[in-house]
mmCIF file of all heavy atoms in Angstrom:
data_model
loop_
_atom_site.group_PDB
_atom_site.id
_atom_site.type_symbol
_atom_site.label_atom_id
_atom_site.label_comp_id
_atom_site.label_asym_id
_atom_site.label_seq_id
_atom_site.Cartn_x
_atom_site.Cartn_y
_atom_site.Cartn_z
ATOM 1 N N ASN A 7 5.058 -9.819 -0.797
ATOM 2 C CA ASN A 7 5.553 -9.311 -2.075
ATOM 3 C C ASN A 7 4.506 -8.402 -2.692
ATOM 4 O O ASN A 7 3.402 -8.253 -2.154
ATOM 5 C CB ASN A 7 5.961 -10.444 -3.020
ATOM 6 C CG ASN A 7 4.837 -11.413 -3.262
ATOM 7 O OD1 ASN A 7 3.775 -11.035 -3.733
ATOM 8 N ND2 ASN A 7 5.049 -12.670 -2.919
ATOM 9 N N GLY A 9 5.174 -5.072 -3.496
ATOM 10 C CA GLY A 9 5.489 -3.669 -3.329
ATOM 11 C C GLY A 9 6.126 -3.077 -4.585
ATOM 12 O O GLY A 9 6.452 -3.786 -5.527
ATOM 13 N N VAL A 12 4.870 3.856 -7.168
ATOM 14 C CA VAL A 12 3.650 4.247 -7.861
ATOM 15 C C VAL A 12 3.443 5.741 -7.665
ATOM 16 O O VAL A 12 3.894 6.318 -6.676
ATOM 17 C CB VAL A 12 2.444 3.435 -7.336
ATOM 18 C CG1 VAL A 12 2.193 3.734 -5.872
ATOM 19 C CG2 VAL A 12 1.207 3.662 -8.168
ATOM 20 N N GLN A 13 2.783 6.360 -8.615
ATOM 21 C CA GLN A 13 2.477 7.779 -8.498
ATOM 22 C C GLN A 13 1.258 7.997 -7.610
ATOM 23 O O GLN A 13 0.416 7.095 -7.468
ATOM 24 C CB GLN A 13 2.221 8.364 -9.883
ATOM 25 C CG GLN A 13 3.457 8.405 -10.760
ATOM 26 C CD GLN A 13 3.185 9.110 -12.084
ATOM 27 O OE1 GLN A 13 2.051 9.234 -12.528
ATOM 28 N NE2 GLN A 13 4.254 9.604 -12.704
ATOM 29 N N THR A 19 -1.341 -3.881 -5.248
ATOM 30 C CA THR A 19 -1.872 -4.986 -4.464
ATOM 31 C C THR A 19 -0.716 -5.754 -3.848
ATOM 32 O O THR A 19 0.166 -6.230 -4.558
ATOM 33 C CB THR A 19 -2.711 -5.936 -5.326
ATOM 34 O OG1 THR A 19 -3.813 -5.224 -5.891
ATOM 35 C CG2 THR A 19 -3.259 -7.081 -4.467
ATOM 36 N N PRO A 28 -0.698 -24.584 13.055
ATOM 37 C CA PRO A 28 -1.918 -24.701 13.865
ATOM 38 C C PRO A 28 -2.628 -23.374 14.109
ATOM 39 O O PRO A 28 -3.666 -23.356 14.775
ATOM 40 C CB PRO A 28 -1.393 -25.283 15.171
ATOM 41 C CG PRO A 28 0.000 -24.762 15.266
ATOM 42 C CD PRO A 28 0.521 -24.731 13.853
ATOM 43 N N TRP A 36 -2.166 -6.329 8.342
ATOM 44 C CA TRP A 36 -1.110 -5.575 7.673
ATOM 45 C C TRP A 36 -0.743 -4.380 8.551
ATOM 46 O O TRP A 36 -1.639 -3.672 9.042
ATOM 47 C CB TRP A 36 -1.563 -5.068 6.312
ATOM 48 C CG TRP A 36 -1.669 -6.119 5.263
ATOM 49 C CD1 TRP A 36 -2.799 -6.797 4.879
ATOM 50 C CD2 TRP A 36 -0.608 -6.626 4.457
ATOM 51 N NE1 TRP A 36 -2.493 -7.703 3.891
ATOM 52 C CE2 TRP A 36 -1.164 -7.603 3.602
ATOM 53 C CE3 TRP A 36 0.758 -6.345 4.359
ATOM 54 C CZ2 TRP A 36 -0.398 -8.306 2.673
ATOM 55 C CZ3 TRP A 36 1.511 -7.041 3.432
ATOM 56 C CH2 TRP A 36 0.942 -8.018 2.599
ATOM 57 N N ARG A 38 2.429 -1.113 8.703
ATOM 58 C CA ARG A 38 3.414 -0.425 7.875
ATOM 59 C C ARG A 38 4.286 0.456 8.746
ATOM 60 O O ARG A 38 3.905 0.843 9.845
ATOM 61 C CB ARG A 38 2.725 0.412 6.791
ATOM 62 C CG ARG A 38 1.926 1.597 7.333
ATOM 63 C CD ARG A 38 1.172 2.270 6.204
ATOM 64 N NE ARG A 38 0.399 3.423 6.680
ATOM 65 C CZ ARG A 38 -0.444 4.102 5.932
ATOM 66 N NH1 ARG A 38 -0.646 3.755 4.652
ATOM 67 N NH2 ARG A 38 -1.095 5.143 6.444
ATOM 68 N N PRO A 41 9.884 5.644 7.213
ATOM 69 C CA PRO A 41 11.212 5.973 7.768
ATOM 70 C C PRO A 41 11.096 6.948 8.934
ATOM 71 O O PRO A 41 10.408 7.971 8.828
ATOM 72 C CB PRO A 41 11.935 6.606 6.581
ATOM 73 C CG PRO A 41 11.267 6.031 5.384
ATOM 74 C CD PRO A 41 9.825 5.867 5.763
ATOM 75 N N GLY A 42 11.721 6.606 10.040
ATOM 76 C CA GLY A 42 11.723 7.477 11.200
ATOM 77 C C GLY A 42 10.456 7.477 12.019
ATOM 78 O O GLY A 42 10.325 8.237 12.973
ATOM 79 N N ASP A 52 -10.332 -11.207 10.448
ATOM 80 C CA ASP A 52 -10.434 -12.365 11.322
ATOM 81 C C ASP A 52 -10.916 -13.575 10.523
ATOM 82 O O ASP A 52 -11.138 -13.499 9.322
ATOM 83 C CB ASP A 52 -11.307 -12.063 12.533
ATOM 84 C CG ASP A 52 -12.781 -11.876 12.187
ATOM 85 O OD1 ASP A 52 -13.202 -12.280 11.080
ATOM 86 O OD2 ASP A 52 -13.507 -11.322 13.020
ATOM 87 N N GLY A 55 -13.896 -13.323 8.284
ATOM 88 C CA GLY A 55 -13.851 -12.316 7.235
ATOM 89 C C GLY A 55 -14.159 -10.912 7.698
ATOM 90 O O GLY A 55 -14.179 -9.981 6.884
ATOM 91 N N TYR A 59 -10.126 -1.387 9.800
ATOM 92 C CA TYR A 59 -9.140 -0.535 9.126
ATOM 93 C C TYR A 59 -8.775 0.664 9.983
ATOM 94 O O TYR A 59 -9.591 1.169 10.755
ATOM 95 C CB TYR A 59 -9.701 -0.031 7.791
ATOM 96 C CG TYR A 59 -9.992 -1.125 6.797
ATOM 97 C CD1 TYR A 59 -11.251 -1.698 6.707
ATOM 98 C CD2 TYR A 59 -8.993 -1.579 5.931
ATOM 99 C CE1 TYR A 59 -11.516 -2.710 5.800
ATOM 100 C CE2 TYR A 59 -9.256 -2.588 5.019
ATOM 101 C CZ TYR A 59 -10.521 -3.149 4.967
ATOM 102 O OH TYR A 59 -10.779 -4.152 4.058
ATOM 103 N N SER A 60 -7.563 1.155 9.787
ATOM 104 C CA SER A 60 -7.195 2.417 10.396
ATOM 105 C C SER A 60 -7.942 3.534 9.663
ATOM 106 O O SER A 60 -8.305 3.392 8.489
ATOM 107 C CB SER A 60 -5.688 2.631 10.319
ATOM 108 O OG SER A 60 -5.286 2.806 8.968
ATOM 109 N N ARG A 66 -10.074 3.237 1.130
ATOM 110 C CA ARG A 66 -9.076 3.155 0.052
ATOM 111 C C ARG A 66 -8.419 1.781 -0.028
ATOM 112 O O ARG A 66 -8.045 1.334 -1.103
ATOM 113 C CB ARG A 66 -7.989 4.211 0.258
ATOM 114 C CG ARG A 66 -8.484 5.632 0.282
ATOM 115 C CD ARG A 66 -7.331 6.629 0.295
ATOM 116 N NE ARG A 66 -6.505 6.514 1.498
ATOM 117 C CZ ARG A 66 -5.200 6.251 1.481
ATOM 118 N NH1 ARG A 66 -4.568 6.089 0.338
ATOM 119 N NH2 ARG A 66 -4.521 6.169 2.619
ATOM 120 N N THR A 68 -8.314 -2.461 0.964
ATOM 121 C CA THR A 68 -9.155 -3.625 1.238
ATOM 122 C C THR A 68 -8.273 -4.813 1.573
ATOM 123 O O THR A 68 -7.413 -5.201 0.773
ATOM 124 C CB THR A 68 -10.037 -3.973 0.031
ATOM 125 O OG1 THR A 68 -10.846 -2.850 -0.327
ATOM 126 C CG2 THR A 68 -10.941 -5.158 0.366
ATOM 127 N N SER A 81 -4.037 -10.631 1.324
ATOM 128 C CA SER A 81 -3.840 -9.578 0.328
ATOM 129 C C SER A 81 -4.230 -8.217 0.883
ATOM 130 O O SER A 81 -5.009 -8.121 1.824
ATOM 131 C CB SER A 81 -4.676 -9.874 -0.926
ATOM 132 O OG SER A 81 -4.277 -11.085 -1.526
ATOM 133 N N ALA A 100 -1.384 -13.073 14.940
ATOM 134 C CA ALA A 100 -1.363 -12.974 16.396
ATOM 135 C C ALA A 100 -1.565 -14.338 17.032
ATOM 136 O O ALA A 100 -2.475 -15.065 16.655
ATOM 137 C CB ALA A 100 -2.453 -12.019 16.866
ATOM 138 N N ARG A 101 -0.723 -14.661 17.941
ATOM 139 C CA ARG A 101 -0.932 -15.847 18.762
ATOM 140 C C ARG A 101 -0.251 -15.629 20.099
ATOM 141 O O ARG A 101 0.613 -14.779 20.242
ATOM 142 C CB ARG A 101 -0.360 -17.100 18.098
ATOM 143 C CG ARG A 101 1.159 -17.177 18.096
ATOM 144 C CD ARG A 101 1.620 -18.575 17.717
ATOM 145 N NE ARG A 101 3.077 -18.671 17.682
ATOM 146 C CZ ARG A 101 3.819 -19.016 18.719
ATOM 147 N NH1 ARG A 101 3.253 -19.264 19.878
ATOM 148 N NH2 ARG A 101 5.122 -19.106 18.593
ATOM 149 N N TYR A 103 1.298 -18.283 22.977
ATOM 150 C CA TYR A 103 1.586 -19.683 23.264
ATOM 151 C C TYR A 103 0.966 -20.535 22.161
ATOM 152 O O TYR A 103 1.329 -20.393 21.013
ATOM 153 C CB TYR A 103 1.082 -20.067 24.651
ATOM 154 C CG TYR A 103 1.692 -19.212 25.746
ATOM 155 C CD1 TYR A 103 0.906 -18.323 26.476
ATOM 156 C CD2 TYR A 103 3.063 -19.271 26.006
ATOM 157 C CE1 TYR A 103 1.466 -17.526 27.458
ATOM 158 C CE2 TYR A 103 3.621 -18.458 26.979
ATOM 159 C CZ TYR A 103 2.816 -17.590 27.710
ATOM 160 O OH TYR A 103 3.358 -16.796 28.669
ATOM 161 N N LEU A 109 -5.492 -9.127 17.823
ATOM 162 C CA LEU A 109 -4.673 -8.087 17.237
ATOM 163 C C LEU A 109 -5.214 -6.714 17.572
ATOM 164 O O LEU A 109 -6.427 -6.507 17.663
ATOM 165 C CB LEU A 109 -4.615 -8.252 15.715
ATOM 166 C CG LEU A 109 -3.644 -9.300 15.180
ATOM 167 C CD1 LEU A 109 -3.891 -9.538 13.700
ATOM 168 C CD2 LEU A 109 -2.217 -8.874 15.405
ATOM 169 N N ARG A 112 -3.386 -0.518 17.094
ATOM 170 C CA ARG A 112 -2.614 0.506 17.800
ATOM 171 C C ARG A 112 -1.374 -0.063 18.468
ATOM 172 O O ARG A 112 -0.560 0.697 19.002
ATOM 173 C CB ARG A 112 -3.497 1.174 18.858
ATOM 174 C CG ARG A 112 -4.751 1.835 18.310
ATOM 175 C CD ARG A 112 -5.750 2.099 19.417
ATOM 176 N NE ARG A 112 -6.186 0.848 20.034
ATOM 177 C CZ ARG A 112 -7.043 0.801 21.058
ATOM 178 N NH1 ARG A 112 -7.528 1.908 21.569
ATOM 179 N NH2 ARG A 112 -7.389 -0.372 21.568
ATOM 180 N N TRP A 120 6.051 -11.801 12.158
ATOM 181 C CA TRP A 120 6.113 -10.848 11.064
ATOM 182 C C TRP A 120 6.775 -11.482 9.847
ATOM 183 O O TRP A 120 7.628 -12.351 9.971
ATOM 184 C CB TRP A 120 6.963 -9.636 11.458
ATOM 185 C CG TRP A 120 6.465 -8.795 12.576
ATOM 186 C CD1 TRP A 120 6.933 -8.787 13.859
ATOM 187 C CD2 TRP A 120 5.425 -7.817 12.530
ATOM 188 N NE1 TRP A 120 6.248 -7.863 14.613
ATOM 189 C CE2 TRP A 120 5.315 -7.249 13.815
ATOM 190 C CE3 TRP A 120 4.584 -7.358 11.523
ATOM 191 C CZ2 TRP A 120 4.395 -6.249 14.125
ATOM 192 C CZ3 TRP A 120 3.661 -6.368 11.826
ATOM 193 C CH2 TRP A 120 3.574 -5.824 13.111
ATOM 194 N N GLN A 122 9.063 -10.380 6.271
ATOM 195 C CA GLN A 122 10.243 -9.539 6.116
ATOM 196 C C GLN A 122 9.903 -8.157 5.571
ATOM 197 O O GLN A 122 10.726 -7.250 5.609
ATOM 198 C CB GLN A 122 11.268 -10.225 5.189
ATOM 199 C CG GLN A 122 11.042 -10.021 3.695
ATOM 200 C CD GLN A 122 9.825 -10.766 3.163
ATOM 201 O OE1 GLN A 122 9.268 -11.635 3.837
ATOM 202 N NE2 GLN A 122 9.414 -10.432 1.948
ATOM 203 N N GLY A 123 8.680 -7.996 5.061
ATOM 204 C CA GLY A 123 8.222 -6.707 4.578
ATOM 205 C C GLY A 123 8.406 -6.518 3.091
ATOM 206 O O GLY A 123 9.237 -7.181 2.450
ATOM 207 N N VAL A 128 5.333 5.923 -2.797
ATOM 208 C CA VAL A 128 4.388 6.727 -3.558
ATOM 209 C C VAL A 128 5.025 8.099 -3.786
ATOM 210 O O VAL A 128 5.254 8.838 -2.827
ATOM 211 C CB VAL A 128 3.041 6.876 -2.828
ATOM 212 C CG1 VAL A 128 2.052 7.637 -3.703
ATOM 213 C CG2 VAL A 128 2.489 5.504 -2.444
#
Side-chain angles (χ1 to χ4, degrees):
N7 56 58
V12 63
Q13 292 185 339
T19 300
W36 287 96
R38 67 186 181 187
D52 69 17
Y59 297 93
S60 67
R66 300 188 297 121
T68 303
S81 298
R101 72 167 179 91
Y103 302 113
L109 280 169
R112 301 163 298 178
W120 296 103
Q122 84 289 347
V128 184

